[in-house]
């Protein structure tokens, strides 16, 4: 695979056309044109080399030269996390965990959440950009903001490990790195700046979530998410 | 120790006065005044509870009520890293590694460095703020920007482990997490966006640095620094 070709996100490579945003980036920013070779990523493991055959601003057209289906290499890690008041911090979390390797992020609304809404479009763009930059072939799934209690009520039986990282003093808490087993589908809950409430923690425990600590330091929400992701990567 | 008292950085607690910046924060932002109890951190392990006795804007005066000398708990990890073109990314690295636990950061100027200068004052403020927020008692040391080759020529015999994380293909590279031994004074080199040059890598190897990989993903500079720091924390 030509590593030096510019990468573009294209959910449907077979359609032979880039979306509006990627087209703009190719033509106006990178000044690519007919005959140039580009790399396409569908975010679902497929990468392709293609030649630009038409420079229409509404949608750059390409012809595929070669296609590769890449295996997924990231651990099957899902993190449900309360987006931070300052959205930059949450965007940083998304970018870093996408680089390091994560499969799914579930933004949650909890009792102490300082942020009650997110702009999914914008966050999605960040993820795509991080995927392209980091050389991954799979785009992490990002869901709508989900109510924490609704999440606990939903079908979670597919997870082989479920953890809740909270800051309450709790004798039973062990280190995530001691408990996490490799190669298992895992869900980790990370609370907001003001932490989960005792009620939320109990509800999670009743639903099979094991309380864990991420170490002795008091970590910000986005840092906790990143540390959990690195931990899963190191144990994989 | 009263956890709810606001924390202030005060390098010389015995002098009984806060610096200008912390005074401004106490009086104008937090609206504290005479009789209020504050927590003081000297960044070198000492924490104290004190009562405000005078609200002079030039320097808030306090009387110490109790003093505690706290043990250092972070691994003896030093990271020499090329500051990123976008300084936000470097600031994020500083904040995150301060939260997670690091002893010293050495910003380096390498052949491919996109940033040739840093504002130490501003970065220092970020570190102080991260220390206060994360509940650490030790402020990581942050040095001036140092030429990479000068760093290699300096006295490094105090380090018990020295690693260079680079992106060149290199058969001998092993995972940092496999090589890192706990409880040893460690220096890890992290290159700029354009990586270390082959010449720089060879020079580091000649000086006893062991090439390491941080995993399969292509990580940005600041992400590599954070992943190295979490790795050291998990192995400690």
């Amino acid at each position: 695979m030509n590593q030096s070709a510019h990468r573009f996100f294209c959910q449907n490579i077979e359609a032979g056309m880039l979306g509006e945003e990627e087209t703009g980036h190719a033509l106006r920013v990178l000044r690519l044109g007919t005959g140039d070779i580009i790399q396409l990523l569908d975010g679902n493991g497929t990468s392709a080399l293609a030649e630009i055959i038409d420079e229409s601003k509404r949608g750059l057209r390409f012809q595929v030269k070669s296609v590769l289906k890449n295996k997924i290499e990231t651990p099957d890690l899902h993190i449900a996390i309360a987006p931070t008041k300052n959205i930059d911090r949450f965007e940083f979390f998304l970018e870093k965990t996408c680089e390091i390797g994560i499969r799914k992020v579930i933004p949650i609304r909890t009792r102490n959440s300082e942020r009650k809404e997110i702009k999914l479009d914008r966050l999605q763009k960040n993820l795509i950009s991080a995927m392209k930059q980091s050389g991954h072939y799979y785009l992490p799934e990002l869901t709508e903001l989900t109510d924490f209690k609704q999440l606990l009520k939903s079908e979670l039986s597919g997870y082989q490990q479920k953890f809740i990282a909270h800051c309450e003093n709790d004798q039973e808490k062990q280190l995530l790195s001691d408990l996490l087993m490799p190669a298992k589908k895992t869900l980790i809950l990370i609370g907001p700046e003001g932490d989960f409430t005792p009620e939320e923690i109990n509800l999670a425990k009743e639903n099979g979530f094991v309380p864990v600590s991420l170490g002795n330091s008091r970590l910000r929400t986005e840092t906790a998410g990143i540390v959990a992701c690195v931990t899963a990567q190191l144990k994989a």
Side-chain angles (χ1 to χ4, degrees), chain A:
Chain A
M1 186 66 44
N2 186 340
Q3 283 299 323
S4 62
H6 289 288
R7 295 188 185 87
F8 295 92
F9 177 64
C10 183
Q11 218 159 6
N12 182 5
I13 293 176
E14 285 184 8
M17 193 165 87
L18 281 189
E20 207 179 329
E21 182 127 349
E22 293 290 72
T23 294
H25 187 63
L27 299 181
R28 284 192 299 274
V29 182
L30 300 171
R31 305 208 168 263
L32 299 177
T34 306
D36 283 331
I37 299 293
I38 55 177
Q39 190 183 153
L40 304 164
L41 305 172
D42 74 348
N44 197 26
T46 303
S47 59
L49 279 182
E51 183 182 332
I52 299 176
I53 53 172
D54 183 66
E55 302 175 21
S56 162
K57 278 173 192 167
R58 259 172 296 169
L60 183 155
R61 297 199 160 272
F62 55 78
Q63 190 169 44
V64 172
K65 298 291 182 186
S66 63
V67 178
L68 213 63
K69 183 73 186 173
N70 304 277
K71 271 196 302 191
I72 194 157
E73 287 182 343
T74 54
D76 201 357
L77 171 68
H78 298 195
I79 292 183
I81 182 168
T84 50
K85 185 176 175 187
N86 174 348
I87 197 70
D88 289 355
R89 297 185 170 279
F90 188 65
E91 289 181 0
F92 204 93
F93 157 80
L94 283 179
E95 180 184 295
K96 295 307 146 212
T97 51
C98 179
E99 279 179 57
I100 295 160
I102 193 169
R103 299 255 185 117
K104 185 173 179 177
V105 175
I106 307 165
I108 48 172
R109 195 191 306 109
T110 70
R111 179 69 190 277
N112 291 332
S113 281
E114 297 206 56
R115 172 170 289 278
K116 309 284 189 189
E117 51 183 30
I118 53 173
K119 289 184 182 146
L120 213 53
D121 269 16
R122 188 195 152 109
L123 300 175
Q124 192 71 23
K125 278 184 205 163
N126 289 335
L127 273 182
I128 289 171
S129 157
M131 175 188 72
K132 290 195 288 186
Q133 197 277 334
S134 60
H136 286 300
Y137 298 105
Y138 288 81
L139 184 68
E141 185 186 347
L142 176 67
T143 73
E144 294 275 0
L145 195 62
T146 304
D147 182 78
F148 179 66
K149 290 184 183 172
Q150 288 299 326
L151 174 68
L152 291 186
K153 277 185 204 154
S154 66
E155 183 51 48
L156 299 173
S157 62
Y159 291 105
Q160 295 164 293
Q161 308 184 93
K162 293 181 292 184
F163 300 107
I164 178 167
H166 65 81
C167 316
E168 287 272 308
N169 277 325
D170 186 341
Q171 297 301 328
E172 14 165 352
K173 267 201 297 188
Q174 286 181 263
L175 283 173
L176 175 65
S177 57
D178 287 343
L179 292 182
L180 197 76
M181 283 179 294
K184 294 206 182 289
K185 184 169 176 174
T186 303
L187 176 59
I188 303 177
L189 309 177
I190 310 271
E193 280 98 331
D195 204 3
F196 290 114
T197 64
E199 189 207 345
E200 286 170 334
I201 296 168
N202 279 332
L203 206 58
K205 283 198 221 170
E206 285 165 23
N207 282 276
F209 285 81
V210 178
V212 286
S213 159
L214 298 170
N216 290 326
S217 304
R218 193 186 317 142
L219 304 176
R220 282 178 180 275
T221 294
E222 75 279 9
T223 319
I226 295 169
V227 168
C229 184
V230 178
T231 305
Q233 194 69 40
L234 291 179
K235 302 283 284 194

